[in-house]
């Protein structure tokens, strides 16, 4: 039975982790940064050594094509992303890209020519850590976002995505169309604790939770902390505790499948002896059922409207992003399940709690994902860790699922 070269894959993971490596053992490789560029160049070099052609589209999405018997057939798409969180780990995203590379390297070693081209993709700005929204590279590819919209997005320094692409030389001209692909597969760490807790080596991903992102804006009146009596103030921070109390009731109302996260609270001006003029709260809600996510959205609207009426401050809700829940393709899910059984790895079906580029590829290409465990379920964290044997197992499943799908 064909197997990947696990040592080679692991060595590459550790090598690329040195690009943007952090003192605590993690990675900072923000999208379209110089570190991202170095990671892209290294990946390209590895692909070119196997005879792959490289294409870069107008969003900086990178595609390495390994030739099959019939280049006119729609290709098989593998891959993930090379960018990271500011304090990210060694496996999130990059493992899926290098696993795709390892699949074609294994075929190359075996002198095996697939029926169709196999393309390994690295998508731009999956993380959303520098530019909002997340997954914008695959989002433009799928037609969810326009190219102009993506180009206008700015980071915290006011740099546009368009200018950042140009600054590292990755604003391509290639127009890669979704109809060039037959199927898509993505290997990823779970980013949660379920597989590790249940001692399952492979997660067969059947879909992805729906996600909504918001900013809550609270407006008050800036004044001096000393002379201004409490009952005279219009203090936006006084609304924050009530908002948090009411919003966190989502988990009680909608049950264990519901997720709510307050990622940051910000006040302006941020001065110890001044009542702030403005406060902002980020809000992330998720659910695997789109109807339930819609009801959660309505719950949030009601909370905002109610507290706005009761508060001296004005409270407004801005929706930043909505990624609908996704059900993956049956053929792709079946291929992953058959590969897991064939290889004898303990496995279970699972729904992804995090968004991935596969959310958007699934809109235009039949898609599924493969998960492996990560220690303590930690991700978006420098302590993120995965066992070498699990990385190898996941990549072997990717290989055999690919072999099955490339015949279809």
């Amino acid at each position: 039975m064909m197997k990947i070269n696990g040592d080679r894959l692991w060595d590459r993971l550790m090598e690329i982790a040195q690009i943007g490596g952090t003192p605590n053992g993690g990675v900072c490789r923000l999208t379209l940064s110089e570190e991202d560029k170095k990671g892209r160049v290294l990946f390209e070099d590895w692909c070119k050594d196997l005879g792959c052609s490289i294409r870069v589209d107008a969003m900086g999405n990178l595609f390495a094509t390994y030739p099959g018997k019939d280049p006119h057939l729609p290709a098989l798409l593998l891959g993930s992303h090379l960018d990271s969180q500011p304090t990210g780990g060694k496996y999130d995203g990059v493992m899926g890209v290098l696993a795709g590379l390892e699949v074609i390297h294994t075929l190359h070693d075996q002198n095996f020519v697939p029926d169709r081209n196999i393309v390994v993709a690295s998508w731009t700005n999956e993380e959303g850590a520098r530019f909002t929204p997340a997954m914008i590279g695959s989002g433009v590819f799928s037609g969810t976002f326009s190219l102009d919209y993506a180009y206008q997005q700015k980071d915290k320094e006011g740099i546009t995505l368009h200018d950042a692409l140009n600054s590292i030389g990755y604003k391509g001209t290639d127009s890669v169309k979704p109809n060039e692909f037959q199927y898509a597969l993505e290997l990823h760490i779970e980013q949660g604790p379920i597989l590790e807790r249940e001692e399952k080596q492979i997660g067969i991903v059947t879909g992805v939770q729906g996600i909504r992102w918001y900013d809550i804006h609270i407006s008050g009146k800036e004044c001096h902390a000393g002379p201004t009596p409490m009952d005279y103030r219009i203090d936006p921070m006084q609304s924050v505790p009530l908002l948090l109390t009411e919003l966190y009731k989502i988990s009680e109302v909608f049950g264990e499948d519901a997720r709510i996260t307050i990622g940051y609270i910000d006040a302006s001006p941020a001065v110890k002896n001044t009542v702030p003029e403005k406060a902002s709260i980020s809000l992330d809600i998720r659910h695997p059922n789109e109807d339930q996510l819609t009801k959660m959205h309505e719950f949030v609207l009601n909370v905002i409207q109610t507290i706005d009426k009761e508060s001296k401050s004005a409270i407004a809700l801005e929706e930043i992003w909505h990624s609908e829940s996704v059900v993956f393709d049956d053929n792709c899910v079946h291929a992953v399940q058959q590969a897991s059984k064939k290889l004898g790895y303990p496995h279970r079906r699972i729904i992804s709690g995090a968004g991935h580029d596969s959310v958007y590829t699934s809109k235009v290409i039949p898609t599924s994902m493969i998960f492996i465990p990560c220690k303590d379920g930690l991700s978006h964290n420098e302590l993120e860790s995965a066992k070498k044997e699990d990385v190898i197992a996941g990549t072997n499943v990717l290989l055999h699922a690919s072999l099955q799908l490339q015949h279809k």
Side-chain angles (χ1 to χ4, degrees):
M1 186 186 302
M2 195 183 300
K3 296 284 186 72
I4 61 117
N5 184 326
D7 289 337
R8 177 174 60 204
L9 171 60
W10 189 258
D11 289 345
R12 282 176 171 160
L13 268 172
M14 296 305 106
E15 182 177 347
I16 204 167
Q18 300 306 306
I19 300 174
T22 62
N24 293 323
V27 171
C28 178
R29 201 164 47 236
L30 292 177
T31 194
L32 307 183
S33 64
E34 284 302 312
E35 290 77 18
D36 185 24
K37 178 180 180 179
K38 290 175 183 176
R40 288 166 176 255
V41 169
L42 181 58
F43 169 65
E44 283 190 42
D45 288 344
W46 283 331
C47 292
K48 289 174 183 176
D49 288 343
L50 299 175
C52 293
S53 59
I54 305 295
R55 298 186 291 176
V56 181
D57 71 9
M59 267 300 295
N61 297 318
L62 199 161
F63 302 89
T65 300
Y66 185 75
K69 293 175 184 175
D70 187 349
H72 300 293
L73 288 174
L76 175 63
L77 181 64
L78 310 178
S80 192
H81 59 96
L82 293 173
D83 66 316
S84 81
Q85 291 286 324
T87 51
K90 296 186 182 78
Y91 306 91
D92 179 2
V94 63
M95 181 187 69
V97 178
L98 298 190
L101 170 61
E102 180 56 35
V103 166
I104 61 176
H105 203 150
T106 299
L107 299 182
H108 183 270
D109 288 347
Q110 299 293 323
N111 296 312
F112 182 96
V113 181
D115 291 346
R116 61 186 74 241
N117 291 349
I118 298 179
V119 178
V120 182
S122 175
W123 302 101
T124 296
N125 193 57
E126 191 276 347
E127 291 291 0
R130 184 177 179 191
F131 298 100
T132 300
M135 299 132 57
I136 199 168
S138 54
V140 171
F141 171 84
S142 69
T144 306
F145 306 118
S146 72
L147 190 60
D148 286 343
Y149 168 80
Y151 280 170
Q152 292 169 15
Q153 300 313 300
K154 294 180 180 180
D155 66 10
K156 292 179 180 178
E157 281 70 48
I159 299 169
T160 64
L161 189 147
H162 178 271
D163 288 346
L165 278 169
N166 277 327
S167 72
I168 66 164
Y170 270 90
K171 183 192 172 190
T173 57
D174 188 55
S175 176
V176 180
K177 299 176 182 177
N179 62 12
E180 294 184 13
F181 300 102
Q182 180 78 359
Y183 295 107
L185 293 174
E186 180 178 4
L187 173 65
H188 210 281
I189 56 171
E190 181 197 347
Q191 300 184 285
I194 296 171
L195 294 178
E196 183 182 54
R197 184 178 64 202
E198 297 186 6
E199 298 183 345
K200 303 295 186 185
Q201 201 163 24
I202 300 296
I204 301 159
V205 188
T206 58
V208 181
Q209 285 184 340
I211 306 169
R212 285 181 183 261
W213 280 3
Y214 310 87
D215 281 337
I216 301 171
H217 303 289
I218 313 167
S219 300
K221 186 175 182 180
E222 184 179 344
C223 59
H224 198 295
T228 312
M230 297 300 294
D231 62 355
Y232 188 80
R233 300 181 183 191
I234 304 176
D235 184 352
M237 294 301 291
Q238 289 183 342
S239 299
V240 171
L242 185 55
L243 278 167
L244 298 188
T245 298
E246 294 303 311
L247 289 170
Y248 273 113
K249 288 180 181 177
I250 279 178
S251 59
E252 301 171 17
V253 175
F254 295 94
E256 64 179 6
D257 286 336
R259 303 285 186 270
I260 171 171
T261 302
I262 307 294
Y264 68 80
I265 300 173
D266 186 35
S268 175
V271 180
K272 286 185 175 63
N273 61 347
T274 299
V275 174
E277 180 182 12
K278 299 176 182 177
S280 297
I281 303 174
S282 71
L283 174 63
D284 175 315
I285 62 172
R286 306 184 185 213
H287 201 285
N289 182 288
E290 189 63 26
D291 288 340
Q292 288 296 100
L293 186 64
T294 299
K295 291 177 181 178
M296 289 166 63
H297 169 72
E298 293 167 353
F299 181 95
V300 170
L301 288 176
N302 184 61
V303 168
I304 298 299
Q305 290 168 0
T306 299
I307 297 178
D308 177 52
K309 290 177 182 177
E310 297 173 352
S311 173
K312 290 183 179 179
S313 301
I315 305 172
L317 182 72
E318 178 187 7
E319 184 165 10
I320 302 298
W321 181 46
H322 177 197
S323 177
E324 295 184 359
S325 61
V326 170
V327 177
F328 283 143
D329 176 73
D330 285 342
N331 281 332
C332 292
V333 171
H334 181 72
V336 172
Q337 184 160 327
Q338 289 299 105
S340 301
K341 288 181 178 178
K342 178 180 180 180
L343 292 159
Y345 297 133
H347 59 273
R348 61 156 286 172
R349 291 191 166 212
I350 191 169
I351 292 175
S352 174
H356 300 281
D357 289 307
S358 289
V359 168
Y360 288 132
T361 63
S362 70
K363 293 180 181 295
V364 287
I365 308 166
T367 295
S368 187
M369 296 185 71
I370 303 158
F371 278 172
I372 65 165
C374 52
K375 182 174 173 55
D376 299 327
L378 279 179
S379 185
H380 289 195
N381 189 312
E382 292 169 290
L383 298 179
E384 176 185 280
S385 180
K387 294 179 181 177
K388 181 177 179 180
E389 56 264 36
D390 293 340
V391 173
I392 293 170
T395 307
N396 276 323
V397 170
L398 182 67
L399 169 65
H400 284 274
S402 298
L403 290 172
Q404 183 175 332
L405 291 173
Q406 62 96 27
H407 286 307
K408 289 182 176 290

